Amino acid sequence: GQNIDQPTEMTATEGAIVQINCTYQTSGFNGLFWYQQHAGEAPTFLSYNVLDGLEEKGRFSSFLSRSKGYSYLLLKELQMKDSASYLCAVMDSNYQLIWGAGTKLIIKP
Amino acid sequence: GAVVSQHPSWVICKSGTSVKIECRSLDFQATTMFWYRQFPKQSLMLMATSNEGSKATYEQGVEKDKFLINHASLTLSTLTVTSAHPEDSSFYICSASPLAGGPNEQFFGPGTRLTVL
């Protein structure tokens, strides 16, 4: 079966760095997405990785290792507004997104 | 660019009635649109995928006669929840992709919160 695993909840301090991990087992791979979702709102796109390595975009970076079926989202200089759920999603061989359950990130002052 | 709207934002209806939710891509043509449902504290669950001008493809366990999807144009898809019941209360989110197939980003609408009394 297809499976995406990510931690249910994480807590970090304002100004610090946090890494959210995602491991996956899917039928085929056509890229991995990270989305941010605030409570009661729809997801917003953060990043897309299809090749191994690190993609940096401002305070957010995303890493992919296809051989390990592993990705992480790195958030630097955390701000209170970063409190949200972070969803990992993998596009399988049919170009369908398989979603993780999301990681709720709580930022404390 | 790449804005997707949904209407209504929230709706409360009586059990047994039907509710229509519209999803529009405002500044691009959406070859493919997706409908998701999300229950509290759970991840997105794909209900169906629709391509303009063809029948929607429903995920296993989703009743196609209950959740009617129409994708009549490249900028509009509708989801009609027929004979709604309290267990249908959920957050319904649509997304749109500008190209058919391929590793394309999905642009999400703001969601519609449905409460069935």
Side-chain angles (χ1 to χ4, degrees), chain A residues 35 37 42 45 48 91 99-100, chain B residues 36 38 43 59 102-103 105-106 109:
Chain A
Y35 282 84
Q37 186 178 24
F45 171 80
Y48 170 68
M91 188 162 277
W99 293 87
Chain B
Y36 293 87
Q38 186 175 35
S43 190
E59 294 301 300
E105 177 185 345
Q106 292 182 24

Side-chain angles (χ1 to χ4, degrees), chain A residues 87-109:
Chain A
L87 307 175
C88 172
V90 174
M91 188 162 277
D92 67 10
S93 56
N94 295 318
Y95 298 109
Q96 181 162 303
L97 277 180
I98 311 300
W99 293 87
T103 298
K104 182 178 180 181
L105 177 63
I106 299 169
I107 309 296
K108 294 185 175 180

Side-chain angles (χ1 to χ4, degrees), chain A residues 3-108:
Chain A
N3 195 48
I4 310 284
D5 284 320
Q6 49 181 132
T8 304
E9 186 174 298
M10 298 182 70
T11 302
T13 304
E14 189 177 16
I17 299 173
V18 70
Q19 176 174 310
I20 303 174
N21 296 325
C22 171
T23 58
Y24 62 88
Q25 288 180 310
T26 56
S27 55
F29 180 82
N30 278 300
L32 185 144
F33 295 79
W34 282 97
Y35 282 84
Q36 179 191 60
Q37 186 178 24
H38 285 99
E41 299 180 10
T44 54
F45 171 80
L46 289 178
S47 67
Y48 170 68
N49 294 66
V50 67
L51 299 176
D52 289 351
L54 186 68
E55 296 275 346
E56 297 186 71
K57 190 185 294 185
R59 294 190 298 115
F60 293 3
S61 302
S62 57
F63 171 83
L64 175 67
S65 169
R66 288 172 296 172
S67 62
K68 296 181 179 178
Y70 167 71
S71 172
Y72 68 72
L73 179 69
L74 190 71
L75 293 76
K76 302 176 184 177
E77 301 170 17
L78 287 170
Q79 302 175 8
M80 297 304 292
K81 66 177 182 181
D82 297 330
S83 293
S85 287
Y86 291 86
L87 307 175
C88 172
V90 174
M91 188 162 277
D92 67 10
S93 56
N94 295 318
Y95 298 109
Q96 181 162 303
L97 277 180
I98 311 300
W99 293 87
T103 298
K104 182 178 180 181
L105 177 63
I106 299 169
I107 309 296
K108 294 185 175 180

